[in-house]
Amino acid sequence: MKKGFFVSFEGLDGSGKTTQIRMLEKRLISEGKSVKLTKEPGGTVLGENIRNLLLNPELKETPSPLAEIFLFMADRAQNTGIIIKKAINDGNFVISDRYIDSTMAYQGYGRGIDLELINTLNRIAAAGILPDITFFLDISIEESKRRVLSGKKEFSGIDRMEKERAEFHQKVRKGFLELAVKNNQRIKVIDSCRNIEEIHKDIYKNLIDKIEEKKLV
Ligand code: TYD
């Protein structure tokens, strides 16, 4: 029987996932819970290498849309297979920075790959493991671009997905919002144009409500 609790965070680049994940982790640890963080792409050693293949803007050859999706799925299979499944079974709070919905939004709504096909691939790669709750941190395309440019230029540079045109990111955002409507029991849309404390409170309240609802702790 499943003992832990699984949370995923989704959002456009610059939506503040990393900050909110850290705040939630800190709070859960202060309550005595054990937390396991992971991310996609790149939560495992294999995944880090896949991440480089996927996002490095310097690579001479760009992956085709189909090659791209299979690389994301390989990363997911490894993350689920060696990290997520075990951490949930061991009773941890597992938090993944991106998961199945990113592929639906970016490769499905963004690149136009068939959503049913992605659903099937996701079921295989994620071994049927769905998050108990997913937070979609929603910001506008303009805000995303502003944050990516101001935060990253001097550091890691802009990655291949971030380089996509505004129309692509518009489709991705619309996709996330549609997914949230279709999966309204699981995906919560969090207005992320507020101060970080307010956003954290909102996330925490939703999490506690979901735990109550599932009577898991
Ligand atoms: P992320 O790690 O959030 O970027 P960063 O660490 O630079 O903030 O996400 C990496 C990129 O990969 C992001 O642009 C979204 C994209 N992505 C997909 O296109 N499909 C997927 O299935 C996943 C997991 C990520």
Side-chain angles (χ1 to χ4, degrees):
M1 203 184 92
K2 185 179 144 181
K3 291 187 261 162
F5 198 86
F6 181 22
V7 185
S8 64
F9 278 75
E10 301 283 1
L12 296 178
D13 293 296
S15 57
K17 289 182 283 103
T18 312
T19 306
Q20 291 302 326
I21 288 171
R22 287 205 190 115
M23 288 170 89
L24 183 61
E25 179 194 28
K26 204 167 153 202
R27 183 146 184 188
L28 292 171
I29 289 175
S30 77
E31 293 171 351
K33 302 201 168 69
S34 52
V35 181
K36 176 76 190 164
L37 299 188
T38 187
K39 66 181 286 183
E40 291 190 4
T44 61
V45 174
L46 179 67
E48 270 175 39
N49 286 286
I50 295 175
R51 182 181 174 92
N52 184 46
L53 292 175
L54 278 164
L55 301 179
N56 187 348
E58 316 276 280
L59 287 185
K60 298 258 161 24
E61 192 179 290
T62 310
S64 73
L66 208 51
E68 179 181 88
I69 203 167
F70 278 111
L71 286 169
F72 278 116
M73 290 297 167
D75 169 73
R76 180 154 308 132
Q78 188 74 353
N79 191 26
T80 314
I82 72 168
I83 296 187
I84 296 177
K85 202 193 275 177
K86 179 170 186 318
I88 297 175
N89 287 337
D90 289 348
N92 292 286
F93 256 89
V94 182
I95 305 177
S96 189
D97 185 341
R98 298 194 185 278
Y99 195 56
I100 49 174
D101 304 298
S102 273
T103 321
M104 292 290 275
Y106 285 84
Q107 281 64 50
Y109 290 90
R111 298 247 193 268
I113 293 183
D114 182 65
L115 296 176
E116 265 318 299
L117 170 68
I118 300 181
N119 245 330
T120 306
L121 295 175
N122 262 339
R123 262 200 304 278
I124 298 168
I129 299 176
L130 274 180
D132 294 294
I133 190 164
T134 297
F135 295 110
F136 168 55
L137 272 44
D138 189 31
I139 53 171
S140 67
I141 305 304
E142 295 71 30
E143 183 63 13
S144 166
K145 191 167 178 202
R146 198 185 61 72
R147 293 189 193 179
V148 167
L149 289 177
S150 68
K152 289 200 179 160
K153 230 186 320 205
E154 318 79 335
F155 303 111
S156 48
I158 310 294
D159 72 38
R160 192 173 59 80
M161 299 303 283
E162 289 162 350
K163 282 193 164 160
E164 288 286 345
R165 303 153 67 88
E167 298 89 87
F168 174 79
H169 293 288
Q170 199 66 261
K171 285 189 215 163
V172 172
R173 177 174 182 230
K174 193 171 154 273
F176 274 127
L177 290 170
E178 259 183 61
L179 289 168
V181 171
K182 284 191 202 158
N183 301 273
N184 62 355
Q185 290 304 303
R186 175 174 64 84
I187 305 180
K188 305 288 168 202
V189 179
I190 304 290
D191 171 6
S192 298
C193 265
R194 297 173 290 167
N195 76 55
I196 58 172
E197 284 299 336
E198 258 178 80
I199 300 170
H200 170 69
K201 273 191 199 149
D202 196 2
I203 289 173
Y204 187 73
K205 177 164 187 331
N206 273 285
L207 179 68
I208 296 302
D209 289 349
K210 183 57 82 178
I211 291 171
E212 288 286 307
E213 186 189 311
K214 296 210 163 191
K215 297 220 184 328
L216 281 171
V217 284

